[in-house]
Amino acid sequence: MKKIFLLLLVTPLIMNSQEKLPFYEISDYPESYSQAAMVGRMIDGLGFRYYWATEGLTDKDLNFRLPNESRSSYETIIHIYDLSKMILNTALNLPIDMNPNEGMEFKEARENTLNNLKKASEIFKKTDNFDELKITFLRGDSEKVQFPFWNQLNGPIEDAVWHCGQIVAYRRASGNPISKKISVFTGKVNED
């Protein structure tokens, strides 16, 4: 009886901790085009690709690297996490701290990356004036280097998309390709 009671008590806690992460699928697109909707949709596409590039990775996949001293899949995931912080901080109009996040566990990096991208997408979709958003890097204690939002598009966002493709290629090479049910064209999972 105690075991049943304990199971009934713990099951909701486990289920709550296993809520779906963002970007399992991309939501339906808006009815009209706008700067805000398009930037938000770019982030959604990145989030969807990242979700499925990193879903079900094994230790073998995470440790995979090409023989030319390239980053491993895990190191690439940490780099994408750093890029997601740059994207989110730009959305929040906050300076970017460039301290690397080495030592973070894969699961934590994946969750944080997906949540950063979700928050950034939501903010960008409500942004009226992208001219006011700057990519701001801190150098030292006080020096700031700023770039216009344009650099966000061809910089961190596209760099993260690039690296998602790298993870997909690496996991295929390590024997664990992504599911054929994933459609990056529609942003949906074909359940058939």
Side-chain angles (χ1 to χ4, degrees):
M1 186 68 169
K2 287 181 182 179
K3 289 181 182 178
I4 292 172
F5 176 74
L6 184 60
L7 183 61
L8 291 173
L9 183 67
V10 172
T11 300
L13 295 173
I14 293 170
M15 291 178 73
N16 284 339
S17 69
Q18 294 178 346
E19 291 178 23
K20 275 189 182 175
L21 292 170
F23 300 114
Y24 174 84
E25 290 189 326
I26 301 175
S27 61
D28 292 335
Y29 50 82
E31 291 183 20
S32 62
Y33 293 89
S34 69
Q35 289 177 337
M38 291 181 76
V39 171
R41 189 70 171 190
M42 288 176 67
I43 303 297
D44 294 347
L46 166 57
F48 181 76
R49 282 168 172 76
Y50 180 82
Y51 182 100
W52 289 106
T54 59
E55 175 66 14
L57 290 178
T58 65
D59 286 340
K60 179 182 175 184
D61 301 321
L62 292 169
N63 292 315
F64 184 87
R65 75 174 70 234
L66 295 176
N68 63 357
E69 297 188 33
S70 64
R71 287 182 181 134
S72 68
S73 291
Y74 168 76
E75 291 165 336
T76 303
I77 286 165
I78 295 301
H79 179 58
I80 296 171
Y81 168 67
D82 289 336
L83 293 169
S84 78
K85 290 190 324 182
M86 292 173 70
I87 294 166
L88 178 58
N89 279 22
T90 300
L92 295 168
N93 224 3
L94 295 174
I96 297 163
D97 175 12
M98 293 303 293
N99 292 325
N101 289 287
E102 297 170 5
M104 184 182 290
E105 295 291 327
F106 162 66
K107 182 180 176 183
E108 181 183 5
R110 181 173 189 256
E111 288 178 17
N112 289 345
T113 299
L114 289 166
N115 287 322
N116 286 349
L117 295 174
K118 181 67 174 171
K119 289 175 196 169
S121 172
E122 290 170 353
I123 293 167
F124 286 140
K125 287 175 183 174
K126 296 175 184 172
T127 299
D128 293 324
N129 186 353
F130 284 88
D131 290 329
E132 293 176 2
L133 295 179
K134 305 287 184 212
I135 302 173
T136 305
F137 295 101
L138 295 178
R139 291 204 176 143
D141 293 334
S142 60
E143 184 184 354
K144 293 181 181 181
V145 178
Q146 290 191 325
F147 296 88
F149 184 79
W150 287 113
N151 292 76
Q152 185 63 250
L153 300 175
N154 58 277
I157 294 171
E158 288 303 316
D159 193 26
V161 172
W162 175 287
H163 289 302
C164 283
Q166 181 182 1
I167 293 169
V168 170
Y170 278 18
R171 72 180 291 166
R172 186 178 302 132
S174 65
N176 184 14
I178 65 170
S179 171
K180 294 181 191 256
K181 294 181 177 187
I182 309 310
S183 172
V184 294
F185 182 73
T186 63
K188 303 291 181 201
V189 178
N190 301 319
E191 299 293 344
D192 301 339

